[in-house]
Amino acid sequence: MKLVIDTDTGSDDAVALMLALGNPQVSVEIITTVAGNVPIDLATENALATVALMGATTPVYRGMSKPIIRELHTAQNVHGSDGMSGAPIPRHALKESGSDAVTQLIEVSKKYPGELTLITLGPLTNVAAALLQDPHVLDRYKDVYMMAGSPEGWGNVTPSAEFNVWCDPESFKIVLQSGKRLTMVGWNISRDAAVIGAEEEAKIKALGTARAAYVIDINETLAIFCRDITGLPGFDLPDPITVAIAIAPEMIRRSEFVSMDVSCSEEMRGTIIIDRRHTAPPANVDVIWEVDRDVFLNSLYEVCKDSSNPSNYKGVSF
Ligand code: RIB
Ligand code: CA
């Protein structure tokens, strides 16, 4: 399976990259970074550090530094000022491969037409920019999985909006209108099946590996945000479960193919609109409503268990 991952590398994105990079059945062809959780420099650096931690050499391309129209509002209040809870990010020798992420999203689709699964973990700014340059770019991808949206209206950045869509709603609308059949892994799935509570955290820590320590350390600020603001019984991992579903879609128990739009108004910015009337526009998004939580947790434990790569953590250089 060939993947392309677009990420605004905050702490949960980093775990998502680990799930992909640590899976022997998967080849991550390129990683593209986008401003969202953190400014683009940090999103790119956090992606490079995670690639290095995993002992990988996947090329990382820097992308858009702000939403397509609006000013950038980050989620550093959720993930920490560096996006990684201030954890002692390991030193490494990796450098970004270029600052042309949008072009690379187009070029890699031409290199592997019909073979690639695109997974988006941040605002859709890079993908929208690629569509504006090449309206058929997504047609050359086999599948597109987006960690995006609150399809039932339970938001995390406003009462009704999820951050990736809220941060750049205009880009999300451009992607919805692309004509490509899309899959949405909304924040509902993260709340229902990807919360790392005390029991799951203890299991990860008990593995005793550098990867396990990294996962817990970088999500410390997210855990506090979840406790104090979203009221979840632990820290949730929306991006990792999106990667898990893209790799193993058999874990989907229930989904619905719907006609979806998004509000770009100020008062309802980022709110997902699903039209189920007979007069609705053609369906464009498979919304996932239920998944097998155990498949996700087992894939997370599996990648944390492995300490085969030469790298280490807690400040030891790579
Ligand atoms: O709302 C959750 C999403 O916003 C995740 O992708 C998280 O990393 C943040 O970007
Ligand atoms: Ca993200």
Side-chain angles (χ1 to χ4, degrees):
M1 177 180 213
K2 294 184 188 303
L3 297 183
V4 169
I5 300 179
D6 187 71
T7 174
D8 60 339
T9 335
S11 57
D12 68 308
D13 303 67
V15 180
L17 292 177
M18 293 172 70
L19 282 185
L21 294 167
N23 187 320
Q25 309 301 319
V26 164
S27 165
V28 183
E29 297 305 320
I30 65 169
I31 294 168
T32 53
T33 60
V34 65
N37 276 325
V38 288
I40 188 66
D41 290 355
L42 282 170
T44 307
E45 177 46 41
N46 293 341
L48 288 166
T50 304
V51 169
L53 175 92
M54 298 302 290
T57 55
T58 308
V60 176
Y61 294 94
R62 170 195 301 258
M64 303 291 270
S65 62
K66 69 174 287 292
I68 208 155
I69 292 176
R70 300 168 185 265
E71 289 310 305
L72 173 65
H73 288 280
T74 70
Q76 288 167 286
N77 60 313
V78 178
H79 298 275
S81 56
D82 65 351
M84 305 283 264
S85 305
I89 297 301
R91 295 183 298 281
H92 62 84
L94 298 184
K95 299 288 181 222
E96 67 185 53
S97 299
S99 57
D100 56 343
V102 173
T103 300
Q104 292 301 324
L105 287 171
I106 296 168
E107 293 311 309
V108 75
S109 76
K110 292 176 181 173
K111 185 176 179 185
Y112 299 108
E115 295 181 50
L116 296 167
T117 295
L118 173 62
I119 304 176
T120 70
L121 304 178
L124 280 296
T125 316
N126 285 344
V127 180
L131 281 164
L132 294 176
Q133 185 174 335
D134 175 356
H136 301 293
V137 57
L138 293 187
D139 298 338
R140 290 192 290 271
Y141 282 86
K142 180 165 167 285
D143 293 302
V144 179
Y145 287 82
M146 309 177 295
M147 192 284 127
S150 289
E152 86 299 4
W154 180 344
N156 56 12
V157 67
T158 72
S160 65
E162 176 279 325
F163 176 78
N164 288 338
V165 175
W166 176 88
C167 183
D168 190 351
E170 287 79 13
S171 285
F172 187 68
K173 188 181 273 276
I174 289 170
V175 176
L176 287 179
Q177 294 174 350
S178 66
K180 177 68 177 176
R181 182 165 180 165
L182 308 159
T183 299
M184 170 182 277
V185 184
W187 193 55
N188 57 305
I189 294 299
S190 186
R191 280 200 324 272
D192 294 349
V195 173
I196 305 300
E199 181 187 337
E200 294 79 17
E201 181 167 339
K203 277 186 84 169
I204 293 170
K205 282 180 175 174
L207 295 171
T209 62
R211 292 181 181 183
Y214 188 73
V215 166
I216 299 301
D217 288 356
I218 64 177
N219 284 291
E220 199 177 294
T221 306
L222 174 61
I224 294 166
F225 179 83
C226 291
R227 182 193 67 201
D228 296 345
I229 307 295
T230 48
L232 296 178
F235 62 93
D236 69 310
L237 293 176
D239 294 343
I241 199 166
T242 302
V243 167
I245 291 168
I247 291 173
E250 61 275 16
M251 66 186 279
I252 299 171
R253 286 190 173 149
R254 184 165 59 91
S255 65
E256 179 188 12
F257 189 37
V258 297
S259 175
M260 182 178 291
D261 196 355
V262 60
S263 171
C264 295
S265 70
E266 276 324 295
E267 58 278 10
M268 298 304 285
R269 170 181 173 174
T271 300
I272 297 297
I273 302 161
I274 294 177
D275 189 342
R276 292 186 173 85
R277 298 172 299 172
H278 286 312
T279 53
N284 51 352
V285 179
D286 286 294
V287 174
I288 299 179
W289 291 116
E290 193 181 339
V291 299
D292 183 331
R293 167 179 164 83
D294 290 338
V295 171
F296 165 62
L297 288 176
N298 290 335
S299 67
L300 180 61
Y301 299 144
E302 197 59 34
V303 82
C304 287
K305 194 186 302 178
D306 186 327
S307 56
S308 57
N309 59 285
S311 62
N312 214 310
Y313 172 51
K314 291 294 187 190
V316 175
S317 66
F318 283 62

